Amino acid sequence: MAEISISLVGGEKKLVSSDLTVGDAVAELVSNKLRKQTLAVRVGDNLIDLSSPLADLSDTRIEMEPVKADSDEGLDILRHSCAHIMAHAVIDCFGPDVKIAIGPSIADGFYYDFDRKIPFTPDDFSRIEDRMQEIVNSAQPFEKKTLSVQEAAKLFDEKGEHYKVEILQEIDDENVSLYQLGDFVDLCKGPHVPHSGWVKAFKLIKLAGAYWRGDENKAMLQRLYGTAFFDKKALKKHLFSLEEAKKRDHRKLGKELGLFTIQDQVGPGLILWQPKGSLLRKLIEDYWKEEHYRNDYELLYTPHIARLDLWKTSGHLDFYGENMYSSMDIDDIKYQLKPMNCPFHIGIYKSSMRSYREFPIRWCELGTVYRYERTGVLHGLLRVRGFTQDDAHIFCRPDQLEEEIFNILDLNLHILETFGFDKYDIYLSTRPEKYVGSEEHWQKSTDALKQALTKRGLEYQIDPGEGVFYGPKIDIKIKDVLGRSWQCSTIQVDFNLPERFEITYVGDDGKEHQPIMIHRALMGSLERFIGVLIENYAGAFPLWLAPVQARILNITDSQGKYCEKVYTDLRKAGIRVEKDLRNEKLNYKIREAQLSKVPFMLVIGDREVENGVVTVRLRDGKNLPPMTSKEFVELVNAECAEGLKRN
């Protein structure tokens, strides 16, 4: 009998029989409590089922790390397993004419794509869920099988599962793994929970369409989304968050609050800002410009198109071409809509000779760019085809690099906190497979970002291979009130574009040197950032950011003249105010103002006219003591100043 040396990572080694399963080996190494919580193991970079034979690991020394149910990896495995349970239930409920495609776990659940002639409806959910529950209650084991590609293709061909056959035709490996759950068999790398009984709480969420392989020229499939947890309490909390997210959907609120619209006649992914949305955007832009001026930036404006050759030099055409729109001919010269602002800023840099004494040069621009996004991924303000980046580029000497990254991080976090985002995750994205520049420059850039994060005491995670083609980057993903993460801020160190465009400065030695270029965006894009703001505040913006700060409501027509005077006085004082003098009941007008998320309602009746005051009602229903227009202006200004604390 052959023996294998097993151990927990960093633990003592133990010799066991090679006939054992991974689960048996875990039982030899851990306590009963930990064994009951373990649903798989990690060996090196691989996740392994407990049912896998030790002998299959093809190693005589195995270090294992238990994957527990309360871990992110454990939840991912559970949801992947639940996708199989759902597919099993769908076939049981609707018959073998339903063909299966793919069914992965995703960030907050799982989905499975089906090919069925009859469309699913939400009414089918309860039937599918009932069958899923039966499968869960029966605690069916997930049994892994290894077949040759040819054997697997024959098996799925006999079942009429042509999507699986197509996948197998593209696999170069000699063997593949299949998982059997009852009489349901699926092509899958795994791992899975030991049996279906591990799934304690699940729910089908929604339906959507999805092209096979994401190709618009291939079959349209039906995608069923669901989620799963290890306990019902966690599921209940998640479902509450989903309901809350529906109420906060920026597309719904954007329409109700009159912020923006998207019209088919204009084109998908192109935003039309309505007056209130335009004012909201102006408030954000004005604040952004003021903060940048205070932090020694200079403002730039650049065109929306440029000669195609510019994008060849920058490398965007080679590395980013699929996200760029087709070129246009102007005077027999090809031009291109800009996907980025950086080459224009380099053009401004090259407009004169630069000295080391000028550095650092900090230039910023609210520059609108255009990128091709497939129609299927467009999503309100969050995924668009034309958007405005809060862009900036810093040109500096090598000895200034670290301090400039410090400054950017400080400004970045201050601005995010001003908008109410004080929770975030930070990622350091490293060199991708396709890149330009030398490995030496990449290493220097990456080290500079690492050192800045470390010295600032900021925790971060490595995101391998997710840098941009010209340099590594720091990404800051903010968290909203529901705990959802949103990608906004990015800081990128670039030695490559200065080299490609041959930009230089004269150093203190009288010789020419190449500057370092830092790309950064703090909000990412105004469209996306405003979409996140809408959802974070559910449209009830803080006073300094509210497009309408107050609405004047009269009780009867007799107060109309005084209401007009109050309105004029407030407008002159810079208060963003509107009036509702319709011949409607006061409670109706108050309700409409609350639905419009207006922070203050100024109620005016005969008593207010007589005393020269307004009665102030808050959007949460509370009332403040009556006050004069001047006192109200002071109140608004004080609260706005509090919201806009300067660093």
Side-chain angles (χ1 to χ4, degrees):
M1 177 183 69
E3 289 187 318
I4 293 178
S5 172
I6 61 171
S7 66
L8 298 182
V9 174
E12 293 183 4
K13 296 177 175 57
K14 187 172 185 177
L15 288 175
V16 298
S17 168
S18 60
D19 293 336
L20 295 181
T21 65
V22 170
D24 295 331
V26 170
E28 293 281 342
L29 297 170
V30 303
S31 65
N32 286 337
K33 182 179 179 181
L34 180 53
R35 182 179 56 179
K36 290 177 181 178
Q37 296 173 342
T38 301
L39 52 78
V41 298
R42 173 175 287 284
V43 177
D45 294 329
N46 300 314
L47 292 173
I48 309 293
D49 296 282
L50 295 183
S51 60
S52 297
L54 276 179
D56 284 359
L57 301 187
S58 65
D59 201 341
T60 58
R61 295 180 182 177
I62 301 169
E63 271 197 330
M64 296 184 293
E65 181 181 356
V67 176
K68 296 169 61 178
D70 61 357
S71 67
D72 290 341
E73 286 179 330
L75 187 57
D76 186 69
I77 292 170
L78 180 87
R79 288 171 170 171
H80 187 189
S81 301
C82 204
H84 281 235
I85 293 171
M86 180 176 71
H88 185 350
V90 167
I91 300 299
D92 286 354
C93 290
F94 301 102
D97 288 343
V98 179
K99 302 305 174 188
I100 57 175
I102 58 171
S105 61
I106 53 177
D108 58 356
F110 59 87
Y111 70 78
Y112 215 112
D113 290 342
F114 300 95
D115 189 345
R116 183 181 180 228
K117 292 180 180 179
I118 302 172
F120 292 110
T121 70
D123 292 337
D124 295 321
F125 283 8
S126 60
R127 182 181 174 189
I128 298 169
E129 287 173 340
D130 287 345
R131 179 58 188 135
M132 289 175 69
Q133 191 62 57
E134 291 173 355
I135 296 168
V136 167
N137 292 342
S138 63
Q140 297 178 12
F142 278 89
E143 298 178 292
K144 182 179 180 180
K145 298 182 177 181
T146 301
L147 298 179
S148 69
V149 170
Q150 293 77 11
E151 289 172 329
K154 180 181 179 183
L155 172 67
F156 286 111
D157 187 50
E158 290 172 351
K159 289 177 172 289
E161 298 290 0
H162 57 277
Y163 295 105
K164 300 296 182 183
V165 174
E166 183 177 330
I167 293 171
L168 285 162
Q169 289 171 346
E170 299 174 3
I171 293 177
D172 295 329
D173 296 336
E174 184 178 339
N175 297 316
V176 291
S177 60
L178 281 64
Y179 280 83
Q180 182 150 355
L181 182 68
D183 57 4
F184 174 75
V185 180
D186 202 356
L187 175 67
C188 184
K189 291 181 179 179
H192 288 285
V193 294
H195 58 77
S196 58
W198 276 79
V199 181
K200 303 299 183 185
F202 62 88
K203 184 72 177 175
L204 300 191
I205 303 297
K206 64 178 180 179
L207 281 164
Y211 289 109
W212 171 235
R213 297 293 182 85
D215 188 335
E216 298 170 1
N217 299 312
K218 294 183 182 288
M220 171 63 79
L221 306 176
Q222 298 184 65
R223 178 169 292 179
L224 292 185
Y225 284 93
T227 192
F229 291 87
F230 287 103
D231 63 80
K232 292 182 179 179
K233 185 177 179 181
L235 174 62
K236 184 177 180 181
K237 181 180 178 182
H238 178 72
L239 294 178
F240 173 80
S241 294
L242 289 181
E243 285 303 311
E244 189 64 24
K246 286 181 184 178
K247 297 176 188 175
R248 294 168 177 267
D249 191 318
H250 74 281
R251 295 166 298 178
K252 171 178 171 288
L253 289 172
K255 182 178 181 181
E256 293 173 356
L257 302 178
L259 300 177
F260 69 92
T261 186
I262 301 171
Q263 298 289 331
D264 288 340
Q265 192 171 21
V266 175
L270 301 172
I271 307 302
L272 301 177
W273 293 96
Q274 297 187 27
K276 287 186 176 65
S278 297
L279 183 50
L280 171 63
R281 179 169 170 155
K282 178 184 181 298
L283 292 168
I284 294 171
E285 291 181 357
D286 288 350
Y287 166 74
W288 185 90
K289 290 175 183 177
E290 290 168 8
E291 284 299 310
H292 280 74
Y293 181 77
R294 292 177 65 253
N295 282 272
D296 206 21
Y297 283 78
E298 297 174 297
L299 187 64
L300 303 180
Y301 291 95
T302 59
H304 290 241
I305 63 172
R307 289 187 173 188
L308 190 64
D309 286 346
L310 180 72
W311 310 109
K312 289 180 180 177
T313 302
S314 70
H316 286 99
L317 206 59
D318 292 332
F319 291 88
Y320 206 73
E322 62 185 22
N323 297 101
M324 297 169 66
Y325 286 99
S326 300
S327 59
M328 61 191 87
D329 288 323
I330 302 176
D331 298 332
D332 297 324
I333 298 172
K334 289 193 178 297
Y335 281 75
Q336 180 82 43
L337 273 172
K338 68 173 176 179
M340 303 281 185
N341 300 302
C342 33
F344 293 100
H345 293 196
I346 290 176
I348 294 172
Y349 182 98
K350 293 179 72 172
S351 64
S352 64
M353 179 66 72
R354 305 290 173 179
S355 164
Y356 74 97
R357 298 180 185 275
E358 297 178 63
F359 285 4
I361 296 171
R362 304 185 186 104
W363 287 336
C364 63
E365 177 183 12
L366 292 168
T368 301
V369 298
Y370 304 89
R371 299 179 188 174
Y372 173 65
E373 298 281 5
R374 291 183 180 274
T375 303
V377 302
L378 297 175
H379 185 79
L381 296 175
L382 304 180
R383 198 76 176 263
V384 293
R385 286 176 170 163
F387 59 92
T388 300
Q389 282 186 309
D390 70 315
D391 218 346
H393 295 96
I394 295 94
F395 299 89
C396 65
R397 305 188 306 265
D399 61 292
Q400 298 170 321
L401 177 58
E402 186 176 276
E403 186 65 27
E404 286 307 302
I405 297 173
F406 286 162
N407 293 339
I408 294 168
L409 284 169
D410 291 344
L411 176 61
N412 199 159
L413 298 181
H414 167 67
I415 286 179
L416 292 177
E417 287 172 8
T418 300
F419 284 102
F421 300 110
D422 57 4
K423 294 183 176 64
Y424 37 76
D425 292 317
I426 300 177
Y427 296 86
L428 176 59
S429 301
T430 58
R431 191 179 68 213
E433 288 186 14
K434 291 178 66 177
Y435 66 93
V436 295
S438 68
E439 290 190 16
E440 179 187 1
H441 281 167
W442 272 87
Q443 192 61 52
K444 284 183 180 178
S445 304
T446 305
D447 289 344
L449 293 174
K450 281 183 180 179
Q451 290 169 13
L453 290 170
T454 301
K455 289 184 179 180
R456 272 294 184 262
L458 296 170
E459 293 184 6
Y460 66 93
Q461 302 173 49
I462 299 292
D463 200 359
E466 291 302 314
V468 287
F469 70 87
Y470 50 76
K473 61 177 180 169
I474 292 171
D475 286 328
I476 300 177
K477 297 184 180 181
I478 59 177
K479 290 189 176 182
D480 66 12
V481 294
L482 297 182
R484 298 174 299 178
S485 291
W486 304 92
Q487 171 62 57
C488 290
S489 312
T490 188
I491 305 168
Q492 305 162 1
V493 178
D494 182 7
F495 288 86
N496 296 308
L497 287 186
E499 189 175 87
R500 293 173 78 94
F501 280 94
E502 299 179 342
I503 63 173
T504 60
Y505 66 92
V506 177
D508 58 0
D509 59 359
K511 297 178 181 179
E512 289 193 355
H513 301 270
Q514 183 178 292
I516 299 169
M517 184 177 184
I518 306 173
H519 309 246
R520 48 114 287 207
L522 308 184
M523 301 174 189
S525 82
L526 289 186
E527 284 74 9
R528 181 178 176 80
F529 192 73
I530 290 173
V532 174
L533 278 175
I534 294 170
E535 299 205 2
N536 186 62
Y537 289 109
F541 300 109
L543 187 62
W544 74 272
L545 200 53
V548 177
Q549 295 171 317
R551 183 179 292 181
I552 298 171
L553 310 176
N554 65 326
I555 295 177
T556 66
D557 289 344
S558 64
Q559 298 99 36
K561 186 176 181 180
Y562 180 71
C563 288
E564 293 288 357
K565 180 182 183 306
V566 171
Y567 174 79
T568 301
D569 290 346
L570 294 182
R571 294 276 288 194
K572 286 181 178 178
I575 305 301
R576 299 186 292 277
V577 61
E578 60 185 18
K579 54 193 175 182
D580 183 354
L581 307 184
R582 295 174 298 165
N583 185 21
E584 298 284 355
K585 291 183 178 180
L586 179 61
N587 286 342
Y588 175 78
K589 292 196 283 189
I590 288 174
R591 177 62 178 159
E592 284 212 331
Q594 288 176 322
L595 291 174
S596 297
K597 316 288 187 179
V598 178
F600 293 113
M601 286 147 272
L602 308 183
V603 179
I604 296 176
D606 290 339
R607 184 171 54 185
E608 284 77 17
V609 175
E610 182 180 346
N611 295 321
V613 296
V614 295
T615 293
V616 181
R617 182 184 178 93
L618 308 183
R619 60 187 164 200
D620 64 3
K622 295 177 183 177
N623 289 318
L624 299 180
M627 61 186 72
T628 64
S629 296
K630 182 180 178 182
E631 289 171 331
F632 179 71
V633 170
E634 291 172 351
L635 171 70
V636 171
N637 288 340
E639 189 170 325
C640 288
E642 178 66 21
L644 278 171
K645 283 181 179 176
R646 304 297 185 184
N647 58 354

